[in-house]
Amino acid sequence: MAIFLDSGKIEDVRKYLAWGVIRGVTTNPTIFFNDGVTGGVKGMKARAKEIADLIHPYPLSLEVTSNDRGQMIAQALDFASIAENINVKITVHGPQGETENLEVVHELETRHDVRVNCTAMMSGQQCLLAALAGASYVSLFGGRVNNMGYDSREEISRLRRVLDLQGLGAQIIIGSTREVLNVIEWLDAGAHIVTVTPNLIQGMLVHPYTKETVQMFLDDAKKCEQV
Ligand code: E4P
Protein backbone atom coordinates (compact mmCIF):
# COMPACT_ATOMS: atom_id res chain seq x y z
CA MET A 1 0.00 0.00 0.00
CA ALA A 2 1.56 3.32 -1.00
CA ILE A 3 1.05 6.96 -1.83
CA PHE A 4 2.52 8.41 -5.02
CA LEU A 5 2.70 12.13 -5.81
CA ASP A 6 0.70 13.29 -8.85
CA SER A 7 2.85 16.27 -9.83
CA GLY A 8 5.55 17.48 -12.19
CA LYS A 9 6.91 20.16 -9.86
CA ILE A 10 10.43 19.59 -8.56
CA GLU A 11 9.78 21.54 -5.32
CA ASP A 12 6.75 19.34 -4.54
CA VAL A 13 8.67 16.15 -5.22
CA ARG A 14 11.56 17.31 -3.00
CA LYS A 15 9.19 18.33 -0.23
CA TYR A 16 7.16 15.14 0.05
CA LEU A 17 10.19 12.92 -0.54
CA ALA A 18 11.85 14.63 2.43
CA TRP A 19 8.73 13.92 4.52
CA GLY A 20 9.27 10.23 3.69
CA VAL A 21 5.65 9.66 2.67
CA ILE A 22 5.74 9.13 -1.11
CA ARG A 23 6.90 5.98 -2.91
CA GLY A 24 6.66 7.18 -6.50
CA VAL A 25 5.55 10.01 -8.81
CA THR A 26 3.01 10.12 -11.64
CA THR A 27 2.77 12.71 -14.39
CA ASN A 28 0.89 13.29 -17.61
CA PRO A 29 1.08 15.98 -20.33
CA THR A 30 -1.62 18.07 -18.60
CA ILE A 31 0.28 18.02 -15.30
CA PHE A 32 3.51 19.03 -17.07
CA PHE A 33 1.71 21.87 -18.87
CA ASN A 34 0.12 23.13 -15.63
CA ASP A 35 3.42 22.78 -13.78
CA GLY A 36 5.25 25.04 -16.22
CA VAL A 37 7.12 22.59 -18.44
CA THR A 38 7.99 24.16 -21.79
CA GLY A 39 9.87 22.96 -24.89
CA GLY A 40 7.55 20.09 -25.85
CA VAL A 41 8.73 16.50 -25.52
CA LYS A 42 12.32 17.63 -24.96
CA GLY A 43 11.21 19.71 -21.98
CA MET A 44 9.10 16.85 -20.60
CA LYS A 45 12.03 14.44 -20.89
CA ALA A 46 14.35 16.86 -19.10
CA ARG A 47 11.85 17.31 -16.23
CA ALA A 48 11.25 13.56 -16.09
CA LYS A 49 14.98 12.87 -15.84
CA GLU A 50 15.29 15.35 -12.99
CA ILE A 51 12.38 13.78 -11.08
CA ALA A 52 13.49 10.19 -11.79
CA ASP A 53 17.00 10.89 -10.45
CA LEU A 54 15.56 12.60 -7.39
CA ILE A 55 13.22 9.77 -6.42
CA HIS A 56 15.33 6.77 -7.48
CA PRO A 57 14.71 3.86 -6.84
CA TYR A 58 11.03 4.82 -6.62
CA PRO A 59 9.16 4.79 -9.96
CA LEU A 60 8.15 7.73 -12.16
CA SER A 61 5.31 7.43 -14.68
CA LEU A 62 5.86 9.36 -17.92
CA GLU A 63 3.11 9.44 -20.57
CA VAL A 64 3.57 9.19 -24.35
CA THR A 65 2.36 12.19 -26.35
CA SER A 66 0.96 10.42 -29.41
CA ASN A 67 -1.70 7.82 -30.14
CA ASP A 68 -0.01 6.55 -33.29
CA ARG A 69 1.03 2.91 -32.77
CA GLY A 70 4.58 3.28 -34.13
CA GLN A 71 5.16 6.55 -32.33
CA MET A 72 3.87 5.16 -29.04
CA ILE A 73 6.35 2.26 -29.22
CA ALA A 74 9.27 4.47 -30.32
CA GLN A 75 8.57 7.09 -27.66
CA ALA A 76 8.05 4.45 -24.96
CA LEU A 77 11.45 2.93 -25.73
CA ASP A 78 13.02 6.39 -25.70
CA PHE A 79 11.35 7.35 -22.40
CA ALA A 80 12.28 4.05 -20.75
CA SER A 81 15.92 4.67 -21.66
CA ILE A 82 16.01 8.00 -19.77
CA ALA A 83 16.25 6.28 -16.39
CA GLU A 84 15.71 2.73 -15.18
CA ASN A 85 12.95 3.78 -12.74
CA ILE A 86 10.76 5.29 -15.48
CA ASN A 87 7.61 3.44 -16.48
CA VAL A 88 5.66 4.54 -19.52
CA LYS A 89 2.03 5.58 -19.48
CA ILE A 90 -0.09 4.38 -22.40
CA THR A 91 -3.77 5.32 -22.47
CA VAL A 92 -6.09 2.31 -22.62
CA HIS A 93 -7.41 3.41 -26.01
CA GLY A 94 -7.25 6.41 -28.31
CA PRO A 95 -9.41 9.57 -28.36
CA GLN A 96 -11.78 8.02 -30.90
CA GLY A 97 -11.81 4.63 -29.22
CA GLU A 98 -8.88 3.32 -31.28
CA THR A 99 -8.07 -0.10 -29.88
CA GLU A 100 -4.46 -0.86 -30.81
CA ASN A 101 -3.21 0.57 -27.48
CA LEU A 102 -3.52 -2.73 -25.59
CA GLU A 103 -1.39 -4.39 -28.24
CA VAL A 104 1.19 -1.67 -27.61
CA VAL A 105 1.01 -2.34 -23.86
CA HIS A 106 1.48 -6.08 -24.44
CA GLU A 107 4.37 -5.59 -26.85
CA LEU A 108 6.21 -3.16 -24.58
CA GLU A 109 5.89 -5.43 -21.55
CA THR A 110 6.62 -8.76 -23.23
CA ARG A 111 9.05 -7.92 -26.06
CA HIS A 112 10.82 -4.79 -24.88
CA ASP A 113 10.89 -5.24 -21.10
CA VAL A 114 9.31 -1.79 -20.60
CA ARG A 115 7.11 -1.38 -17.52
CA VAL A 116 3.79 0.13 -18.57
CA ASN A 117 1.27 2.13 -16.58
CA CYS A 118 -1.96 1.75 -18.57
CA THR A 119 -3.89 4.94 -17.91
CA ALA A 120 -7.04 7.06 -18.33
CA MET A 121 -9.26 4.17 -17.25
CA MET A 122 -12.76 4.74 -15.90
CA SER A 123 -13.86 1.18 -15.14
CA GLY A 124 -12.63 -2.01 -13.53
CA GLN A 125 -13.29 -3.81 -16.80
CA GLN A 126 -10.83 -1.64 -18.69
CA CYS A 127 -8.29 -2.22 -15.92
CA LEU A 128 -8.82 -5.99 -16.09
CA LEU A 129 -8.06 -6.02 -19.82
CA ALA A 130 -4.95 -3.90 -19.27
CA ALA A 131 -3.79 -6.26 -16.50
CA LEU A 132 -4.38 -9.27 -18.76
CA ALA A 133 -2.36 -7.52 -21.50
CA GLY A 134 0.53 -7.43 -19.02
CA ALA A 135 0.55 -3.83 -17.72
CA SER A 136 2.61 -3.47 -14.54
CA TYR A 137 0.29 -0.70 -13.32
CA VAL A 138 -3.37 -0.04 -14.11
CA SER A 139 -4.55 3.52 -13.45
CA LEU A 140 -8.21 4.10 -12.65
CA PHE A 141 -9.28 7.75 -12.44
CA GLY A 142 -11.34 7.59 -9.24
CA GLY A 143 -12.40 11.24 -9.11
CA ARG A 144 -13.65 11.15 -12.68
CA VAL A 145 -15.53 7.90 -11.95
CA ASN A 146 -17.26 9.60 -9.00
CA ASN A 147 -18.01 12.66 -11.16
CA MET A 148 -19.77 10.39 -13.67
CA GLY A 149 -22.10 9.32 -10.85
CA TYR A 150 -20.57 5.94 -9.99
CA ASP A 151 -19.01 4.84 -6.70
CA SER A 152 -15.29 4.40 -7.40
CA ARG A 153 -14.86 2.37 -4.19
CA GLU A 154 -17.05 -0.45 -5.53
CA GLU A 155 -15.12 -0.50 -8.79
CA ILE A 156 -11.81 -0.65 -6.91
CA SER A 157 -12.87 -3.45 -4.53
CA ARG A 158 -14.23 -5.62 -7.31
CA LEU A 159 -11.17 -5.03 -9.49
CA ARG A 160 -8.80 -5.93 -6.64
CA ARG A 161 -10.74 -9.14 -5.89
CA VAL A 162 -10.66 -10.21 -9.53
CA LEU A 163 -6.94 -9.44 -9.99
CA ASP A 164 -6.11 -11.39 -6.82
CA LEU A 165 -8.34 -14.33 -7.80
CA GLN A 166 -6.74 -14.50 -11.24
CA GLY A 167 -3.22 -14.10 -9.85
CA LEU A 168 -2.62 -11.03 -12.02
CA GLY A 169 0.33 -8.97 -10.79
CA ALA A 170 -0.76 -5.50 -11.96
CA GLN A 171 -0.66 -2.83 -9.27
CA ILE A 172 -3.83 -0.74 -9.08
CA ILE A 173 -3.13 3.01 -9.02
CA ILE A 174 -6.08 5.28 -8.28
CA GLY A 175 -5.60 8.81 -9.54
CA SER A 176 -7.74 11.86 -10.13
CA THR A 177 -7.92 12.63 -6.41
CA ARG A 178 -10.43 15.37 -5.62
CA GLU A 179 -10.88 15.20 -1.82
CA VAL A 180 -8.65 14.43 1.16
CA LEU A 181 -10.97 11.53 2.05
CA ASN A 182 -10.29 9.83 -1.32
CA VAL A 183 -6.82 8.72 -0.24
CA ILE A 184 -7.75 6.55 2.72
CA GLU A 185 -11.06 5.36 1.26
CA TRP A 186 -9.44 4.16 -1.97
CA LEU A 187 -6.60 2.39 -0.14
CA ASP A 188 -9.22 0.82 2.13
CA ALA A 189 -11.21 -0.30 -0.92
CA GLY A 190 -8.22 -2.26 -2.25
CA ALA A 191 -6.01 0.11 -4.25
CA HIS A 192 -2.32 -0.78 -4.09
CA ILE A 193 -1.45 2.87 -4.67
CA VAL A 194 -3.24 6.24 -4.60
CA THR A 195 -1.52 9.04 -6.48
CA VAL A 196 -2.21 12.28 -4.66
CA THR A 197 -1.99 15.94 -5.63
CA PRO A 198 0.29 18.05 -3.38
CA ASN A 199 -2.55 20.16 -1.94
CA LEU A 200 -4.35 17.04 -0.72
CA ILE A 201 -1.27 15.65 1.06
CA GLN A 202 -1.10 18.99 2.86
CA GLY A 203 -4.80 18.68 3.66
CA MET A 204 -4.33 15.16 5.05
CA LEU A 205 -1.85 16.48 7.57
CA VAL A 206 -2.87 19.87 8.85
CA HIS A 207 -5.90 19.87 11.17
CA PRO A 208 -7.36 22.97 12.92
CA TYR A 209 -7.86 21.12 16.23
CA THR A 210 -4.26 19.83 16.13
CA LYS A 211 -3.11 23.44 15.68
CA GLU A 212 -5.12 24.50 18.72
CA THR A 213 -3.83 21.58 20.80
CA VAL A 214 -0.20 22.20 19.89
CA GLN A 215 -0.63 25.88 20.74
CA MET A 216 -1.99 24.86 24.15
CA PHE A 217 1.12 22.69 24.78
CA LEU A 218 3.47 25.52 23.80
CA ASP A 219 1.61 28.08 25.93
CA ASP A 220 1.57 25.80 28.97
CA ALA A 221 5.26 24.98 28.53
CA LYS A 222 5.96 28.73 28.78
CA LYS A 223 3.76 29.01 31.87
CA CYS A 224 5.74 26.18 33.55
CA GLU A 225 8.94 28.18 33.04
CA GLN A 226 7.38 31.18 34.80
CA VAL A 227 6.45 29.38 38.06
C1 E4P B 1 -3.14 9.75 -12.74
O1 E4P B 1 -2.15 9.06 -12.93
C2 E4P B 1 -3.38 11.00 -13.47
O2 E4P B 1 -2.12 11.62 -13.64
C3 E4P B 1 -4.24 12.00 -12.76
O3 E4P B 1 -4.52 11.58 -11.44
C4 E4P B 1 -5.46 12.40 -13.54
O4 E4P B 1 -6.21 13.30 -12.75
P1 E4P B 1 -7.32 14.30 -13.30
O5 E4P B 1 -8.60 13.56 -13.37
O6 E4P B 1 -7.34 15.37 -12.26
O7 E4P B 1 -6.85 14.78 -14.64
Side-chain angles (χ1 to χ4, degrees):
M1 207 181 265
I3 290 177
F4 283 8
L5 185 69
D6 206 20
S7 173
K9 269 197 192 139
I10 298 294
E11 319 84 79
D12 289 337
V13 175
R14 272 191 211 288
K15 176 174 175 176
Y16 298 108
L17 200 60
W19 283 18
V21 298
I22 57 165
R23 300 287 181 273
V25 173
T26 51
T27 62
N28 62 41
T30 304
I31 288 174
F32 277 147
F33 175 71
N34 291 334
D35 288 348
V37 172
T38 54
V41 174
K42 207 172 157 200
M44 290 184 202
K45 284 170 64 179
R47 181 68 63 91
K49 169 81 177 137
E50 211 177 332
I51 296 173
D53 288 349
L54 203 56
I55 67 173
H56 186 271
Y58 297 139
L60 166 70
S61 288
L62 177 61
E63 185 163 332
V64 296
T65 60
S66 162
N67 206 74
D68 171 81
R69 189 188 187 289
Q71 284 176 20
M72 281 192 276
I73 299 264
Q75 208 173 42
L77 296 178
D78 182 34
F79 286 179
S81 73
I82 296 173
E84 60 102 16
N85 54 332
I86 285 185
N87 56 67
V88 180
K89 269 181 160 179
I90 305 284
T91 59
V92 68
H93 60 64
Q96 305 302 324
E98 301 90 332
T99 56
E100 61 271 27
N101 298 35
L102 278 192
E103 197 181 313
V104 170
V105 171
H106 187 62
E107 184 173 331
L108 287 170
E109 286 274 1
T110 58
R111 288 187 38 204
H112 300 289
D113 195 28
V114 171
R115 285 167 306 283
V116 175
N117 175 349
C118 191
T119 191
M121 293 191 279
M122 308 295 161
S123 74
Q125 301 180 58
Q126 289 178 311
C127 294
L128 173 61
L129 286 176
L132 288 166
S136 296
Y137 300 96
V138 292
S139 285
L140 179 77
F141 283 15
R144 294 189 189 230
V145 171
N146 288 349
N147 284 343
M148 288 184 290
Y150 302 99
D151 187 342
S152 56
R153 292 168 303 175
E154 286 172 14
E155 212 61 18
I156 294 164
S157 304
R158 193 161 45 169
L159 172 64
R160 178 61 185 269
R161 275 198 303 277
V162 172
L163 293 193
D164 288 351
L165 275 172
Q166 301 300 318
L168 292 165
Q171 297 272 297
I172 303 170
I173 302 180
I174 311 299
S176 190
T177 43
R178 297 284 185 265
E179 299 171 330
V180 169
L181 181 63
N182 292 153
V183 182
I184 201 154
E185 71 179 5
W186 289 340
L187 289 171
D188 182 52
H192 296 96
I193 296 152
V194 175
T195 187
V196 193
T197 51
N199 62 320
L200 292 187
I201 298 188
Q202 200 76 23
M204 287 169 77
L205 179 67
V206 178
H207 194 288
Y209 197 28
T210 301
K211 284 185 187 174
E212 192 184 313
T213 305
V214 173
Q215 192 58 57
M216 178 189 76
F217 291 152
L218 294 174
D219 292 344
D220 289 341
K222 268 194 200 130
K223 286 183 205 161
C224 279
E225 279 167 22
Q226 289 156 7
V227 288

